Amino acid sequence: MFKTLLAQNELHTPTAPLAATLLRITLGVAFLAHGLLKVLVFTPAGTVAFFESQGFPGVTAYAVIFAEIAGGLALILGLHTRAVALGLVPVLVGAALVHLPNGWVFSNPGGGWEFPVFWIFANLVQALLGDGVFALRSPLASGNAR
């Protein structure tokens, strides 16, 4: 089995659903944490002020907070995984644009852009993989393509 897991020429189909699940839950927890950070630490008013200082309309702060919290919960639960993962990409593109002037490394003052860009691609991978296992699939979803 170990040799099979190390094979690099094909997808290991028995473990792929678990891999999708681990990625889905990890992304969900990260989004939930970032959304709650904006509410509980920075406060909604502080988040609005930051967004406005970056040239975004203040109302987008509320949209991002909602997207991160609701999207994070949906990913954790496995509801509409593909759509949610894709729907969160614009939030991450905005974050990458904000951090672009700070350089590559996220530990730079103000944070760099590599983490949001990595997160964009992780979401795209999640959208391609689907729910994985242990997901509460929507009754609105049809077929087995998850």
Side-chain angles (χ1 to χ4, degrees), residues 12-90:
H12 190 250
T13 53
T15 59
L18 183 57
T21 300
L22 291 173
L23 179 60
R24 174 176 53 83
I25 292 171
T26 301
L27 288 171
V29 168
F31 275 111
L32 183 60
H34 277 79
L36 291 176
L37 180 71
K38 288 172 179 66
V39 172
L40 302 174
V41 177
F42 301 142
T43 74
T47 303
V48 166
F50 175 75
F51 274 55
E52 290 174 339
S53 77
Q54 298 299 309
F56 294 101
V59 70
T60 58
Y62 295 105
V64 167
I65 290 169
F66 175 78
E68 289 180 344
I69 293 173
L73 289 171
L75 287 173
I76 291 167
L77 296 172
L79 293 170
H80 303 288
T81 300
R82 292 179 195 271
V84 171
L86 289 176
L88 288 167
V89 168

